[in-house]
Amino acid sequence: MDVERTKQYYDQLTEKDLCQCAYCKTYAKEIKTALPRLTAYLNRLGVDIEKPFEVLPLDESPESMEYLGVQYVVMGTAESFREITVDQARIYTTESHPNTGIEGEHFVIEIVPDKPFRLKRSEF
Ligand SMILES: [Zn+2]
């Protein structure tokens, strides 16, 4: 993986590049506070946790939203990436994702928690 290029990729992503559905917006707003260790881990890869490629929604209530998992783009090749568990979430590379539309070498990681992420529902 290429941490520098990954950072550059996330830096140039703006709000209009990101999904604006309630699941994605809630995730972006709450995930850092909810999972600081996962935030720090992704940061070391150059990945901005607030800019997911895809979230995998599970359920919602008036108070919270739940997620089965989330996917992120990482630049470079997947060769050096090793599966790891952080904040009780398994992180591994996946081929099962929508087309990223990105030119150049990159791959997608999927993060799947033991128990679905449950995040406080926020107002926008
Ligand atoms: Zn969305």
Side-chain angles (χ1 to χ4, degrees):
M1 62 198 129
D2 186 331
V3 175
E4 265 319 300
R5 271 183 57 226
T6 304
K7 262 190 201 140
Q8 283 164 17
Y9 168 76
Y10 281 93
D11 283 349
Q12 56 85 40
L13 280 183
T14 62
E15 202 175 289
K16 69 170 168 35
D17 299 312
L18 302 168
C19 176
Q20 295 299 312
C21 79
Y23 275 105
C24 286
K25 287 178 79 170
T26 298
Y27 180 89
K29 190 155 178 235
E30 300 295 334
I31 194 68
K32 266 188 184 163
T33 325
L35 296 172
R37 280 191 301 269
L38 184 62
T39 303
Y41 169 76
L42 290 178
N43 201 34
R44 285 200 295 278
L45 303 186
V47 171
D48 183 342
I49 198 168
E50 294 183 349
K51 296 176 175 174
F53 173 56
E54 279 272 296
V55 301
L56 312 170
L58 175 63
D59 207 357
E60 59 179 312
S61 75
E63 296 80 34
S64 65
M65 299 188 104
E66 290 185 332
Y67 304 80
L68 283 175
V70 58
Q71 295 182 335
Y72 289 94
V73 168
V74 180
M75 295 300 172
T77 60
E79 274 163 39
S80 56
F81 189 87
R82 299 262 175 280
E83 182 175 326
I84 187 173
T85 299
V86 181
D87 265 342
Q88 268 123 57
R90 224 157 58 81
I91 307 170
Y92 50 86
T93 60
T94 181
E95 300 291 331
S96 175
H97 59 79
N99 192 338
T100 62
I102 298 168
E103 309 253 335
E105 204 110 60
H106 69 284
F107 59 100
V108 173
I109 56 170
E110 187 163 81
I111 304 177
V112 175
D114 278 357
K115 280 187 223 142
F117 295 138
R118 178 181 285 161
L119 301 177
K120 185 163 66 72
R121 197 177 182 122
S122 34
E123 298 299 321
F124 302 108

